[in-house]
Amino acid sequence: MALKPEPTAPFHSVQYALRVLESVSRHGNGVTDAQISRETGLPPGHLAPLLLTLRREGYVEQVGDGAYVIGASLLLLGSGAARRQALEGRLQHALDQLRDSVGAAVYLGRYVDGEVSVVQVSDGPLTPAVNEWVDFRSSAHASAVGKCLLGQLDHAGRRDHFSRHRIARLTSRTITSEKVLLAKLEAQPATVPVLDLQEYAVGTVCAAVPLTAGATAGCLALSLPVEDAHRLREAADTLNRRAAPVLLSLAL
């Protein structure tokens, strides 16, 4: 089973961020933005907002003379259990920030060993998570998370998934034709959020955007009560624009 070729947008900035972190890590006593620009090939106009984001996330710090050094967040990402705990903490913090930005419950989904998995959720009293009334592993055909993850697989990978998970009608809006669903997944643009308009659960609408790190398909998703459906596309666009810190955490 293979992933489809990964699109260069919208997360190409993460590749640049990793190059900046490599540059900073080579200079234990600090490095100026001018030197980082020379080493990475990034012009100052592109480097400045990237450094601002890395500072905000705690991956780099600026010392008294204006030079940049490795930040506390990156130092925490060592190895073993400590690294896993630090990574989960960074991801949860990023998800919480996204939740507050979009005003909706936010989910991190992965496709691992042929199964859909929601690995982390950020919700709250004003942004409740969807009721998982059917296991996400067996409802990928209806959920935004599942469709977004399946959309990152090749045709054989999707057919394999549906051979193991029967396409069942969950609501009156659920697509139950494998042929129709495969065609929709194939036609889905990589840069456009995947929507679930009450296909998984009556009363809930969802959206998901790809978040691929390495060879594993991933996604970020959000859910809203149907009375807030008018906010769905704008919230999905915000989720897409602000996903880079989550992808950076995954990449590290």
Side-chain angles (χ1 to χ4, degrees), residues 3 6 11 14 110 152 210-219 246-252:
L3 298 181
E6 182 179 351
F11 304 120
V14 175
R110 306 292 293 273
Q152 296 173 60
L211 192 68
T212 304
T216 302
C219 72
V246 177
L247 184 59
L248 182 59
S249 295
L250 290 172
L252 292 172

Side-chain angles (χ1 to χ4, degrees), residues 2-168:
L3 298 181
K4 294 198 300 183
E6 182 179 351
T8 57
F11 304 120
H12 61 276
S13 60
V14 175
Q15 296 176 337
Y16 300 145
L18 293 174
R19 284 160 57 184
V20 170
L21 291 175
E22 289 173 357
S23 175
V24 175
S25 66
R26 286 196 294 266
H27 301 273
N29 295 322
V31 59
T32 65
D33 52 358
Q35 181 66 23
I36 296 172
S37 180
R38 286 193 294 271
E39 293 184 2
T40 62
L42 291 173
H46 292 167
L47 179 61
L50 190 54
L51 283 170
L52 181 61
T53 297
L54 292 172
R55 286 179 60 193
R56 187 183 301 121
E57 296 298 319
Y59 291 116
V60 300
E61 297 175 4
Q62 198 168 18
V63 293
D65 61 357
Y68 291 90
V69 297
I70 289 298
S73 294
L74 196 59
L75 292 173
L76 283 174
L77 300 180
S79 60
R83 183 187 186 280
R84 288 193 299 272
Q85 185 176 7
L87 178 56
E88 288 177 3
R90 293 300 306 168
L91 284 172
Q92 193 62 49
H93 177 68
L95 292 178
D96 291 346
Q97 289 185 318
L98 283 172
R99 177 201 63 204
D100 295 340
S101 295
V102 302
V106 175
Y107 312 78
L108 175 62
R110 306 292 293 273
Y111 195 80
V112 181
D113 296 330
E115 299 293 347
V116 169
S117 176
V118 174
V119 294
Q120 283 185 249
V121 179
S122 178
D123 59 356
L126 300 179
T127 53
V130 64
N131 174 35
E132 189 180 349
W133 76 284
V134 176
D135 194 316
F136 287 131
R137 291 175 296 180
S138 58
S139 58
H141 64 287
S143 70
V145 168
K147 289 188 290 182
C148 189
L149 293 174
L150 292 177
Q152 296 173 60
L153 306 182
D154 59 15
H155 183 77
R158 296 171 193 150
R159 292 294 300 270
D160 173 74
H161 183 89
F162 291 137
S163 73
R164 293 179 289 105
H165 295 284
R166 185 175 64 88
I167 297 178

